[in-house]
Amino acid sequence: MGPTASGKTALAIELRKQLPVELISLDSALIYRQMDIGTAKPSAEELAVAPHRLLDIRDPAEAYSAAEFRRDALAEMADIVQAGRIPLLVGGTMLYFKALLEGLSPLPSADPEVRQQIEQTAREKGWEALHRQLCEIDTVAGSRIRPNDSQRLSRALEVFFISGKTLTELTKTSGEALPYDVYQFAIAPASRELLHQRIALRFEQMLASGFEAESRALFARGDLHTDMPSIRCVGYRQMWSYLSGEIDYDEMVYRGICATRQLAKRQMTWLRGWENVHWLDSDKPQLARDKVLQVLSAKHG
């Protein structure tokens, strides 16, 4: 685990050279096809050395839930274990790790009629009004979900209207725990300043590698918009504003780097409260690799 731009992929590839592991991606952006540069997807050369499962499994117009991820990851893990190898999960989508480790609560299935009613109310009164309604129903979810996050806001209200229970109530009841021994490692730079430098450098490298052209090709499709999870990914949302003529190029770069920093801050907040995690230093990759090997050998000789 680790914040964006912390060196997770590089470490995972190094570990594959030392251990009988197969990599599974835990990244909600890497699931999308045609979104390679802006998501910092492993290169063709990296994937040749260390193939990743759960990459390129959805079109950018499609959604993918934590429940779907858990189902797919468990199937991949079982397949890897059956082949006598070890699943190595790598990524920064902390919700996916949480869903995998703790299971998911039994939430009601989507109801198209209820969802349609919510969308109708949003058209008439606006999402701000629906957000106020959610805050009255479920203060915890209301404080966590932003008023402009229409997808999650709609789902939280839908859950309440279908079940009569709030999203917060239902998510307290977790589902089935993970049926494996788990070793958890988090990699991050020693300081926030170093992480910020890595983030800015990587964003500039993405732009130099053709991120704008990649985004233009997606923009030209005409069926994608910023309410979709794919286009809400950090970098793509800011690029969308630039391609729509809302902001200029320099503002896009500035906002893209700021949004990536905010993502890293959220990831670090999750990780600081995480239990049973071994911390690794991004700027000492050899030591990080050695520490993982040391922890595993101490457990298994």
Side-chain angles (χ1 to χ4, degrees):
M1 304 179 281
T4 186
S6 61
K8 296 183 293 294
T9 301
L11 175 60
I13 291 171
E14 278 302 306
L15 289 170
R16 195 176 191 274
K17 294 173 185 174
Q18 306 278 330
L19 297 166
V21 295
E22 296 292 334
L23 276 55
I24 301 175
S25 169
L26 270 82
D27 191 306
S28 60
L30 299 190
I31 64 166
Y32 294 113
R33 296 185 285 272
Q34 302 164 347
M35 293 174 63
D36 302 334
I37 300 167
T39 60
K41 199 171 284 178
S43 66
E45 292 77 20
E46 288 172 325
L47 291 174
V49 175
H52 286 51
R53 302 184 186 213
L54 301 188
L55 290 189
D56 298 327
I57 57 172
R58 287 289 185 277
D59 181 82
E62 297 173 319
Y64 188 64
S65 69
E68 288 173 302
F69 158 75
R70 189 174 200 273
R71 177 202 66 203
D72 293 346
L74 284 171
E76 297 290 359
M77 291 166 79
D79 185 58
I80 292 166
V81 170
Q82 195 171 3
R85 295 177 70 80
I86 305 165
L88 173 57
L89 304 145
V90 55
T93 301
M94 304 310 299
L95 179 62
Y96 283 5
F97 279 111
K98 187 176 171 63
L100 197 54
L101 288 164
E102 299 176 8
L104 287 160
S105 56
L107 295 176
S109 301
D111 184 320
E113 198 174 320
V114 172
R115 190 163 288 187
Q116 200 171 7
Q117 288 169 356
I118 292 167
E119 287 171 1
Q120 180 65 33
T121 306
R123 282 192 290 273
E124 291 168 4
K125 299 182 179 178
W127 286 107
E128 287 277 357
L130 284 173
H131 185 259
R132 286 194 295 273
Q133 185 182 5
L134 177 63
C135 288
E136 289 169 16
I137 293 166
D138 184 350
T139 52
V140 175
S143 64
R144 191 167 40 84
I145 298 171
R146 296 188 300 276
N148 63 352
D149 192 345
S150 57
Q151 187 187 32
R152 290 175 70 207
L153 181 50
S154 172
R155 179 59 177 154
L157 287 168
E158 180 188 37
V159 164
F160 179 73
F161 295 148
I162 294 169
S163 68
K165 294 184 178 179
T166 66
L167 190 63
T168 302
E169 277 181 278
L170 289 173
T171 48
K172 279 178 183 169
T173 329
S174 63
E176 188 186 348
L178 190 63
Y180 296 100
D181 291 328
V182 180
Y183 301 93
Q184 300 182 87
F185 300 91
I187 185 167
S191 72
R192 190 170 59 179
E193 289 70 29
L194 281 170
L195 182 58
H196 286 179
Q197 286 171 20
R198 291 174 75 113
I199 285 168
L201 177 63
R202 191 169 76 170
F203 200 83
E204 295 289 355
Q205 287 170 340
M206 286 175 180
L207 291 166
S209 300
F211 181 29
E212 182 179 342
E214 178 180 85
S215 300
R216 282 189 183 280
L218 292 167
F219 192 81
R221 282 179 42 163
D223 63 336
L224 303 174
H225 52 79
T226 52
D227 282 339
M228 291 177 167
S230 57
I231 308 305
R232 284 210 305 270
C233 288
V234 164
Y236 290 91
R237 179 191 276 275
Q238 292 74 28
M239 189 64 85
W240 228 249
S241 296
Y242 164 62
L243 297 176
S244 303
E246 294 169 23
I247 56 174
D248 63 21
Y249 185 86
D250 290 341
E251 182 68 13
M252 176 273 293
V253 175
Y254 172 74
R255 287 191 190 182
I257 292 171
C258 286
T260 312
R261 283 182 176 184
Q262 287 162 3
L263 169 61
K265 185 180 178 182
R266 289 195 299 274
Q267 289 168 318
M268 287 300 294
T269 301
W270 273 83
L271 280 167
R272 286 195 191 100
W274 214 264
E275 293 180 2
N276 305 317
V277 63
H278 300 275
W279 283 92
L280 310 169
D281 188 341
S282 291
D283 300 293
K284 296 173 182 171
Q286 298 293 88
L287 282 175
R289 183 200 65 189
D290 292 345
K291 184 173 178 180
V292 174
L293 297 173
Q294 187 183 0
V295 169
L296 295 179
S297 63
K299 296 280 185 181
H300 297 282

